[in-house]
Each structure stands twice: as structure tokens, then as C-alpha cells.
Amino acid sequence: MTTLTPTATATPTATPLPTSPSTTPLAKLLWGEERLQRRCEILAAISRNPVFADTQSNPHALSRKDLWTLRLKQGVELLKLKFKLGWSNQHFVDATKIAGDVLSLGVNYRIFIRNLEAQMSAAQKAYWIPRAERFEIAGCYAQTELGHGSNVRGIETTATFEPSAEADEIVINSPTASSHKYWIGSLGVVATHALVIARLVVKGQDLGNHVFLVQVRNLDTHDLMPGVQIYEQGEKGMGTFASMDNGVMAFTNCRIPRANMLAGMVSLERDGTYRAATNKKHAYTSMVIIRGLMSEEIGTEVAKAVVIALRYTGFRRQFNASRDGQEKRVIEYASVQHRLFPALARAVAMMLLGREMRARIDNIVNESLEDLHLQTVGAKIWVSVHGVRDIEVARLSCGGHGNMAATGLGPLYAQLSPSRTYEGETYVLSQQIGNAVVKHWKNKTESSISALPYLGRLREHTKMSQRLQVAGVDAWSSPQVQEGFLELRAALLAKRHLDDVAGGRDTSYDVFELTMAHADLTYCRALQAQVKQSPTEDRPTLEALANVFALTAIVENLAAFAGTDLLSAEDLANLRLAHKDAISIFAGNVDRVVDALGFTEYELNSVFARSSQTPYEGLLEVAKQSELTDNRFVRPMLLEARSLWKQYRRAKI
Amino acid sequence: MTTLTPTATATPTATPLPTSPSTTPLAKLLWGEERLQRRCEILAAISRNPVFADTQSNPHALSRKDLWTLRLKQGVELLKLKFKLGWSNQHFVDATKIAGDVLSLGVNYRIFIRNLEAQMSAAQKAYWIPRAERFEIAGCYAQTELGHGSNVRGIETTATFEPSAEADEIVINSPTASSHKYWIGSLGVVATHALVIARLVVKGQDLGNHVFLVQVRNLDTHDLMPGVQIYEQGEKGMGTFASMDNGVMAFTNCRIPRANMLAGMVSLERDGTYRAATNKKHAYTSMVIIRGLMSEEIGTEVAKAVVIALRYTGFRRQFNASRDGQEKRVIEYASVQHRLFPALARAVAMMLLGREMRARIDNIVNESLEDLHLQTVGAKIWVSVHGVRDIEVARLSCGGHGNMAATGLGPLYAQLSPSRTYEGETYVLSQQIGNAVVKHWKNKTESSISALPYLGRLREHTKMSQRLQVAGVDAWSSPQVQEGFLELRAALLAKRHLDDVAGGRDTSYDVFELTMAHADLTYCRALQAQVKQSPTEDRPTLEALANVFALTAIVENLAAFAGTDLLSAEDLANLRLAHKDAISIFAGNVDRVVDALGFTEYELNSVFARSSQTPYEGLLEVAKQSELTDNRFVRPMLLEARSLWKQYRRAKI
């Protein structure tokens, strides 16, 4: 059939995707060798397994109950693979991510066991960890309450111990509606055991929060244990965490053995004698661990979203027909490049710093906890704010079609969206950076924290008043200049924060900007360090990526310099040109990064990323399979609606 | 039961909500009298109607097919009410919004009939409009194609007319995969007729896009007509528009009577003689109309989201226990006030300017189409970008609990999220503002467009180089100073844009910032004009609101002033103080605005907004009703999972 249009589209063909991950040196740098190895093994095991690859099931069409059940079935299959193939816990956790959102059973391995390891006594570990490892028991972590999230001190659940001759038991109670445990992942349906954070009360004395292992369901029948009431929490918005059974729990005189109080750092004897360890290092361990893992995990999801968007925007054409009559590829527009390329650079930065943090967490006993705590706090805020936004940008870059569920972009957004409020709400958590700035400024101890040396600038007036020296366009691409700018910005905002605190003002809103500046610097430095360690052949690619990262962080954050003389109009004009140049240079390197990320069709799970179909062919196939296409089930209702007017002829129609 | 915690929460009680809308002078100002009257009538008709008020059905638990069917049933009930109560089309459209997201049948009244009115000849109108009004036929608007969205000139569908003795028909064809009609609301299941945008080809000559009324389904059987293939498009991400049956459509020699070409502006005679009207004023009518309606519609949804968040943050307490042992209300923190109060101010601005635009649209034949086009373009971008962000902020302000579907906040976000890409993608559409700036700058005609006079500043060097004169903190609250700042900012960005265009650079990314500055000014002025017209007793409230609006637009957009001498450090320090003061003053006025908005419990449809329950009680009730709470349906699978290890004892576990 001939077309008459001036912008006729040549029949486009699908671009193939890798069938297994890339293992080039650049791939190893981006993923880390161990994680890349696990990923290869997991994909080999699941991508052709019918429980996962079954293309007949369209998860987006299912009710929440049916979707949850499907994901549970997939989780059980992963457990079989774990046992059959001897996977480590980390293998299993990675597999739950690669398989999509198989969330519930992951809690046992990602959170529960890590906390047993960190907070139990040796004897407790020896008894409980093997049972959890083999999933004979299924664990969860019950800290948050309906009325108490970030403010852990507000927790109301009580664990009362009264020494007596008859029973050696602790009694757990939920004194109020607001003390219901809430948001507890895997508790709603799956868990048999919960680590419960509760206020220990011994002989009437409140000793503050402690951790208790509470059996919540019978191991043989899965019935609730006496004194325990559990509800599954209900549906989250936008399909977020549909496959997680978050649970609500209340206790009424629930009795547990005294031996179930986690005794890695405290002890409670039969007669009520209580001893706390002097080393409270691990008090915050659980949150430090989870926040620390978020950078790598979110970075990977953002990378996926950007790769999906790059495929679609490389295929889609709109406007400005060139000589061959074809419209311009969407990816060629600045409006798309300036959004997707920085997002890709940030995703890589998240993965790289995330891996560093995971290594520190695995070695947590030898770490400076304050430094690690501040790094994970800053990173958690930065990565959740940028990560959610970048996934949204990936969807928006795909225009209207990005709204189809089958692109995977909406579901990725929904999945990451709550990361800004869990494990510490963004603004509440930002205050920890603000507090650290105040504390170390007052104590002149900024050099003890790896991310804080920018405070030193405030102690030298000249460094805060001299105009930035940026000699032309190219100078903006110098890592020293970039770091200097970001340090100066962080220092300006730290100064503002210190003044606000001195003035007694509520800083809870403004401190967020300081936190982001602080974390920009952390991520920029981590990225630069990786560039220096990269193989020679990949260095130009990583330098181009790091340049886009840093210049974007600068261009998008000039507000702190308004009202100062630190930058000239010429500096800014040069900066804009340098940024555009950086985007152009990185454009020639994007394919190398995408190839090294090497996502397979299975991993991307998007109608925009299929080897055998173009995005348009994929979208048409989705439509052909829609349950609503055969509309016979509502025809009587439609025919009735169109004849209604006959019944109401008198009405004004 | 006694509580032992230092931050014990007094038993909170629920705050009642109005049972019908407020009709105070301020309510009339915010809603407009006619709309408020319709709203009262609609709520009286539906809020106790069992088809809508049925609390047994939890829409979030349903599969997409079941949810769609429920919404269709509700749509048919609204149609009955329309006929029974003699509602106008606008009544019906308003009712589809108030009832939640009863979307499909609304297309006939919101889009189809408006286009018949704008583009048909008198004779065509007389025949078709009554049929559409009484829903004897169900219409939709089929412009977008799989491969062609914003670039309407790229449309590939053809409508071929070859004069012949035998047939007086036009033949519609879809020549390629990319020419499938796509995203056509109400087409997937419901529509019987479509307004199809296609290239008219007469005797081999391509005459460009025209509009054709095509019957797509048999009126008696609802079967597809010959030559027409339709699929329902499938699920959108995040549950967005789940209740809309967007459709995909291809034509293969689909024959329609020549008389079905819309003939309001063109004519095509039996012998192939073609005449186009010299007045092409209405060529863009459809998009102008829909974009113009978005400000009021989105503003209302943002207002709902903010009111829900205000209720929750006024109830929730965290941290900083005061003397009575209670924690501080979340709404008292700057981090929440600085996010929710500006969002409320913007929502009101959206509603007010939206009503002005709707009045202009209703009077479109007497309007300057270029001016109205630019106003609706700027407003559409601004309102979709801020509206989506503000709804997200409302959710985030509610912390983790805001993620529950029953709060209504996630669903509101999902529903509005695609507004940034439909009816013109944000960046693509922004270029129309950029193009207008270039055109009127070159022609020195900026004064002909109501929003462009800021370009005049660029013609006077002194106005662009003199330091802004802001005499102290209070001066920042002067509407003249605020408008001056926003004008200067728009002028700075216009200058940058003009330079970029002169330099041959791709402006498609940067022009967005100019567009937002342009629209900030438009909204700021519209709000100020309304303040001046407000009743004396409400003026302080509206002044406080407008002050928050303007100062937020200033504080959040200082970047354009970096590298200039236009602001001093003192100006900025004063600005920050003025902004904080404005927030504090508005804090005392927020309840008045919320009362005047007067949303009922039915309208808010949120577990955070119930007269008989606190948010916590509501969340617990949601959990009790979760389908997963009774987990007997998966117990065999869970028990199997926990005994799997026995089968794999050899494995490394």
C-alpha cells in the first residue's frame, strides 16, 4: 500500500537485545564482579523457567489478590532454586529483584536474617539463623507503628517482664490503636516470626526499646498464635508493592520466653537483672543497612528505566522531517538528551557508590558508625529523590505511550515512589545532615567525617568571598573546578543553615537543599574516584559520563549563587556551553554504557524492549490481548444506555 | 489500659466534614456561582445513591476489567440522572469528575459534542447533535496515531474521494502500522461514532487533515462496522485511566457518505470540487478547548489532595513532645507548611484562572485565537507540571501512610500524571511559547498578546541592568515588586532564548524554563486581579494566599539571577524572611480556604477524611477488610515452602 504523506515512515525493524549479560571490563566495573556473576547465574536459571517466563499471564490485568498469589508462587519457585542450586542469601535477594517484584519472601533474607546476625547472642544465632536460612521459619522486622514512624522513641508497644517463680516469660502488649505495628513487610500473610521493637519494662521500669523475637503464627497450621492479631494492610496506591503483604499487628498479653529477647548487646536475667552493653554501636544497624543497600538497588532500577526510554526514543520519530522524508528521532532533541543522559549518569553513580556502601556494611563491625550513618543518610535521600524523579523522566521522555503499563515505566515508578518516605522520610532524615553540620562546626571536627570537609571553607573568609576562577568553557569540565563549585555551594548552604539555627528558625524545610548539596558532592567524588580506577579503554566513556553528572549538578543548582558575586555572567554562559558540549560528547558514549549495563529482554520486561518486535508492534499486540477488546460482556448495558433517552423523552435533551 | 510511654497520645477524635458544599461568598468566588450550583445539585443526587455510595466495593482490590465494568455501570447511572433531572452536558461532565473517575461516557459530552458544535455545518449539527446529546450515538475524537502525536502534520490516515456515478462515498484507510489511531478515549469499548482526523485526498491530490464522522459500530448489535478494526488499548501504568477504554483503530477501505465530512469550514461537492474557508480560526479549536479546561479541572483535584493532606497532617503527631506529653502536629513543621501551603495557593490560582479561560472558550468565536491559544498553552504546561507535583507533595507530606490506596492520594496522582504528555507534551508544547517570543520580539508586537509585555523590558537597557529596589522585608510582599521580579525573570529567560535561537542552538530543553516563567507571571496576575475583586471580608485571606503564591514562585526560581547584579545578598535574606512570614500569616487563613472549598466526605473519598473515623481508625478498617487477611487460600503453598528444605538437605543451606 503506498503512503501519501510527506513524512512517510520507512518500515522500522526491531533492534535485538542481549540474551545474557555483558561481561566486558566495563560491565564488571558497573556491576562489580561478584554481583555480575550472580546475575548471570540467576538469569540462566529463571529466564526460561515457565513459572517466570510465562507470557500468557499479564500481571497488569490481575486483581491485587491474584497478582499477589502469582508473585508468591514465583517466590516459592525462587526458594526451590536457592536450595537446588545452593544459592547464597544474596543470590536469593538479587533474584527477587531480577524476577520483577517478588517481594514477600525476600524480607526473610534481606532484613530478618541480617538483623539476627547483628543483634543476637552467639547462642541465639546458632539456634535461629539456620532455621531462617532454610525457611523453616519465615521472618519479618516489626518496628514501625501506626502512630510512630521516624520517631522511634515514640514506640508504644510494651514488653513487660516480671520475675516470678511460675513463668520465665515476657508479655507483649499494644496499649493503644496507634501502637499497632504497621507497614511490616511479609507479616500480612507469610511470616511466622517477627522481630518486634518494643519498650522493655522490668519491674515497672521502662528501659526503652529492645528487640524481641515473637512467633506470630503456628508452624504447622499457620494459624495466629494466642495474643496476636494480624491483618494484611490492604492495597497500596498505584499498585505500589502489590506483591508485598505488609501487615498490621496488635498484641494482647502475648507471652514469649525471656530467651527470645535479642541478647547480642543486652542481657536480662531470670531475676530481672538487666545489663546493657557499653558499646551501643549497633543500635541503628538495621536502618543503616537498609538505607545503605538502597543506592545500588535504586540505581539499577533507574538504569533499567533509562535504557527502556533510550530504546523507545531511539525508535520514535517526530517533527522536522529530514531529506529522506523521515522525521527526526526523538532522542536527537536536546529536550530528551538533557533529561535522559544525566539520568543515566546518575544511575551509574548510584550503582557505584552503592557498591562501596554495601562493602562497608558487610564490614560494619570495623566501620566508623557515625561516618557510615551520615553517608547512608545522605545517599538514601539523594538516591530516592533523584531515582524516583529520573524514572518519571524516563516515562515522560516516552511521551504518551510511556503511560502504558506494558512499557514497565509506570510500574517502576510506582515501585520506587515510596522510597522517599520509608526508612526515614526525606525531610525528617535531612535534619540528620543539618545536625551533623552544626555539631561538627561547633566542635571543629568536620575533618573526622569524610563528607564534611567543605565546612572548612567557612573558616576561611577568603574562600567564601573570592570570585570563582573558571577560565573559559573548557575549564568547567575540570573535576577540580566542578568539585570546587559543589563544595562552595554546600558551604553556602551550610552557612545559611548555621545562621538559621542560630536565629532559632525552623530549618526542617530548608535543610533539604543543604542535604542534596552535601550528597551531590559525595556522589561526584565517588564517581571521580571510580573514573580514576577504570580500565584505560573505558576511561573516556566514564569521563564523559562523570562530566555530564557534575555539570548537570552544577547547572541545575545555581540558586544558591543568586545574590553573590561568586559567578560572573560570562562564567554562566560558559557553563551552559560546557554542559551542552558534555551532553554531546556523552551522546557518543551512551551506547557503550548501555551495552555494558547489558540488560536482557527478560530483565527489562518492557514492550519497548523486545528483540522480535518494534515498540509499535509491541503496543499493538498488547491491545489485541486486552480483556476489554471482546466487549460482549457489557453489550446489554451499552445498548440499554443508548436507548435510555426513550424513557425520558420529557426531559430536556 | 495505661500507657508507659513519655509521648503518650491522647485519644484523638475524628473531625467532622461538611455534608454539603459551602455556599459562602468565598466559596462562590473560588468555585464560581454556576459551577458551585451544579456541584450542589450533583452531590445531592449521587452521594446517597447506592450505585455510587456502595461502601462494600473496594475499587482498589478489583481487576482492571471488573473496575472498568463498575465505572461503566456508574456512568450509565449518571446518564439516567442526566435525563431524569434534566442536567446539562456540563452537569454530566462535572458529575463524572465528582463521582471519581467515571470517564468513558464523559468523552461524548466533554469532547465529541463540543467538536461537532465547532466544526460541523448547520445542517450537520441539526442532524447529529441531538443524537449525541441523547446518547443514541456515543462519540469519540480520533486524532492521535500510534506514530503521530504532537506532530499533527504527520498523520497518515487517508480519506480518499474519487467522484463516480455509482457511489458518493469517502474511503478511509490506515496505510501503515504507525497510522493506527491510538489513545482514543471511549473508543475501545463504548463508542459507536468517531471524529476521525485524516488526510483528505481528492482525485489524487492531498488536501491535508480534515475531520470525518465515521460510524464504527452497529447501533443495534454493537458489532464493528465493515472496514473497521478496533482493539481496547490495554492497561495503563499505575492504574491511570483504568476506567477509560482507550482504543486502537485501523481502517481498511472503510466507506462513509461524503456528507460525513465535517463541513463547518470546508466543502466537498459530488464532483470533487473542494473549497476551504478563508477563516481557519477554528483549526486548533479542539486542542485549545481541552487545554483550556485543564486548569480548572486539575486545580480542583490538587485542592482535594491538599485538603486530604491537611486533614492528615493536622491529625498526625511526630517528635518534639510538648509539655502535655503530646508530640507536635506534623502540620506545624516548616517542612510540611512550606510544601502544602504553596500547593493550596497554586490550586486556587488554577481554579480561578481556569474559570476565566473557560469563559473565554465558551465565547471562542469572539476571541483573539492567538492570544487564547498562547494562554491555554502556557496554562496547560504550568498546571500539569505543578498540579502533578503538588499532588505528589500532598502524598509525600503524609509520610508512609500516604502510600495507601485508600487515602486517595496515589490514585489522584496516577489520574493526573499523564496530563504532562497528553494534549501536547510539555517540552514540545513549550516551543510554542518560545516561538511566540521570537516572533513578537522580531515584529515588535508583544503588546498585542496579553502575556508578553515583559518583552518590552528587553528593549530598555536600563530596566535590565538596574539592581532591583526592594526596601526591606515587607517590600517583598508588594504585588508590584513581585510582578516586577517575575517580569524581570521572564525577560532574562526570554533574552537567553533569543540568543540561543540566534546562535542556532537546540532550545527544546531550555525553553521549558522560559515557559514556566511566562506562566508564573500569567497566574500571578490573574490571582492579583481576583484579589482585587474579592469581597472585603475575604480579602485578607486571599491576599495572604496570593502572597504565598508569588513569594514561592520567586524563592523557588532564583537561578536566573545567578551571575547577575540584580539582587543583593540582603535582598535575598529579606526575601527568605518575607516568605516565611507569608507562610505564617497564611497558616491562620488556611482553614477559611479549606472551609470555602468545602469538600464533602463523598468528594474527598479518602480514609484520611471521614467524619466518623480518625485516619488511624480508617487505616485499621482498611486492613480488616483486606482480601489477604484471611490467608487460607495460600496456606498449602506456604506450608510447602517452609518444608522445602527437607527435600534439599544436601544443598548448602
Side-chain angles (χ1 to χ4, degrees), chain A residues 473-617:
Chain A
V473 175
D474 292 345
W476 276 110
S477 292
S478 145
Q480 290 71 37
V481 168
Q482 294 166 349
E483 222 176 295
F485 176 97
L486 292 174
E487 277 211 348
L488 191 52
R489 170 172 160 248
L492 285 167
L493 293 170
K495 176 74 167 54
R496 190 177 87 180
H497 179 70
L498 291 166
D499 291 347
D500 281 348
V501 170
R505 289 187 277 275
D506 180 340
T507 60
S508 61
Y509 180 73
D510 290 325
V511 74
F512 170 67
E513 195 180 350
L514 166 60
T515 299
M516 293 300 277
H518 172 99
D520 275 338
L521 194 53
T522 305
Y523 272 92
C524 187
R525 285 198 176 118
L527 197 51
Q528 287 299 346
Q530 292 283 350
V531 170
K532 285 182 193 140
Q533 292 167 28
S534 61
T536 318
E537 71 206 67
D538 296 315
R539 195 152 314 161
T541 295
L542 283 174
E543 280 172 353
L545 182 147
N547 202 29
V548 165
F549 178 96
L551 288 175
T552 303
I554 293 170
V555 160
E556 292 183 352
N557 293 291
L558 294 168
F561 291 81
T564 75
D565 296 329
L566 297 165
L567 289 168
S568 69
E570 194 190 345
D571 290 337
L572 282 173
N574 288 338
L575 169 62
R576 291 182 71 233
L577 293 175
H579 189 231
K580 286 181 206 301
D581 287 349
I583 295 275
S584 295
I585 291 167
F586 186 49
N589 286 276
V590 163
D591 284 350
R592 277 179 70 87
V593 177
V594 171
D595 288 347
L597 288 167
F599 289 113
T600 63
E601 182 169 338
Y602 178 82
E603 287 171 291
L604 294 175
N605 191 22
S606 167
V607 78
F608 287 169
R610 290 186 179 165
S611 289
S612 61
Q613 287 180 319
T614 67
Y616 292 165
E617 289 165 347

Side-chain angles (χ1 to χ4, degrees), chain B residues 185-200:
Chain B
S186 193
L187 172 68
V189 177
V190 170
T192 62
H193 286 69
L195 286 177
V196 174
I197 316 301
R199 313 185 71 80
L200 174 63

Side-chain angles (χ1 to χ4, degrees), chain A residues 83 146 151 223 232 237 316 327 334 392 395 401 403 413 417 500 506 510 562 572 576 580 626 635 651, chain B residues 83 146 151 223 232 237 316 327 334 392 395 401 403 413 417 500 506 510 562 572 576 580 626 635 651:
Chain A
F83 295 149
L146 189 50
N151 187 13
D223 284 329
E232 200 278 337
R316 170 86 166 177
E327 292 175 284
E392 193 182 36
R395 187 175 86 248
H401 297 355
N403 290 302
Y413 173 85
S417 169
D500 281 348
D506 180 340
D510 290 325
L572 282 173
R576 291 182 71 233
K580 286 181 206 301
S626 168
R635 285 195 187 179
Chain B
F83 296 150
L146 188 50
N151 187 13
D223 284 330
E232 200 278 337
R316 169 88 166 176
E327 292 175 285
E392 193 181 35
R395 187 174 86 249
H401 297 354
N403 289 303
Y413 174 87
S417 169
D500 282 348
D506 180 341
D510 289 325
L572 284 173
R576 291 183 71 235
K580 284 182 206 300
S626 168
R635 286 196 187 179

